[in-house]
Amino acid sequence: MSAKIPSYEKLFIGGRWCVPSSSELFSVYSPSTEEAIATIPAVTAADMDKAISVAREAFDNGPWPKMSATERSHYLSRAAEEVAKRDAIIASSFTAEVGGPTALAGFMGIQAQKMWNDAATFHSRFAFEEEREWQGGRGILTHEPVGVLATILPWNGPVPTASLKMGAALAAGCTLVVKPAPEAPIGTLILAEALEAAGFPEGVISILPAGRDIGRLLVSDPRVDKVAFTGSTRGGAEVMSECSKRIAGVTLELGGKSAAIIADDIELDPIIQSTVFNAIGHSGQICAALTRVLIRRDRQEELVSKMADLMESLKVGDPLDSDTAIGPMISKAQRDRVEKYIKIGCEEGARLVCGGSRPDHLDRGWYVNPTLFADVDNKMRIAQEEIFGPVITVIPFDDIDHAVAIANDSDYGLSGAVYASDAALAETIARRVRTGQISVNTWDMCVVQPFGGVKKSGIGREGGLEGLQEYLEPKLIILPE
């Protein structure tokens, strides 16, 4: 059985629940049962046009961008409080519509609260206005909101991702039109209820779950000043191309193929859980997952044996069961994609150690067993392309220089990890890897500090003061002597 989640009959436009322009409904499906579990209104072009119009009006003539950063922070604090009241239903929505196990689902609301609370402190941590002096002149540097922001969300962590983007953009003074993915819209509509209760001024926030066609209308609209997108690298390229036609700004948080480098001086037993769960947690549906594990060639068999033992012991199944470690893929299409890559890996000559199939005990749901490949060459497609499933590739190296070269031989650069007993060695290796974040002897997606990638992993940063500045435009007011 799936967790109970609400259906919706209205659309959240400009901070108010509105009657949709069409009577058509869209069904949300459980990835564990393949059954419809909720319905929401189908968003039309007219609905999106209305949302953009009210956002434009609220930015151009409303109170929100004119408020002080301190005044805006009070709304953000209230948003965090309202999100906290909805912890349980946010967790339920994540399990029901995304398929995340309950152990992971409990973090969704907590992470969202953390992001709203962090955004509520920006007013005290960032100088929105400062005096500047230079040889022969003086002035005031102000940081003003970029304007109307289109925010496009992925399905794998919709509420925390929305909170990360929205908190910073609202702190900056922007007005927002948010488009969640249609695969997992319910959590973001629960978030809309929280934001309504927080009392934001009219017109400031719209949340309209919809597909690509409606998203394309949002991205291409000249009334939108900037687009903040999280999703696939292909999707990000399309957004960037569309925005380039009218010189609109973008921030892009895209794909990853992150590497974990295991140095020679560290014992394997204490780090096996970290290397496994940080690769296939949430069924591998995490952009920053450590899907390439690098180890010296003569230690590969020891590592692979230990990883396989753990992976084969993990329960795959109903995300509502407390002992389930691996839930389903978000959709049949995603499961098919993962299975295609497993087949490619075998055809390329990688050694399939475990997994590679659907669970025998599950006759419904979009599941794939945790899968481990060894003897992987970094030029293979399974090492170069983002699979977004519970698939780990173990790549042997000859020495640390070789390991760093392998880690950097990627179109992506989002995350990573180094495991080493020698702290100085670990830091040295970490500094050599070209990526947006990298952890030592652990792994984390730290989103209250700058998070983002290089190369095809994206443009710009989210989290921390650097994330706030993505939604601000500096303006210099030159004063007379």
Side-chain angles (χ1 to χ4, degrees), residues 3-5 88-99 159 186-187 190:
K4 181 65 176 176
I5 58 174
I89 188 63
I90 289 172
S92 293
S93 72
F94 182 76
T95 298
E97 62 182 346
V98 184
V159 176
I186 302 300
I190 295 167

Side-chain angles (χ1 to χ4, degrees), residues 22-41:
S22 166
S23 60
E24 183 182 354
L25 295 177
F26 179 87
S27 294
V28 181
Y29 289 88
S30 161
S32 60
T33 68
E34 305 180 31
E35 297 174 350
I37 53 175
T39 58
I40 62 171

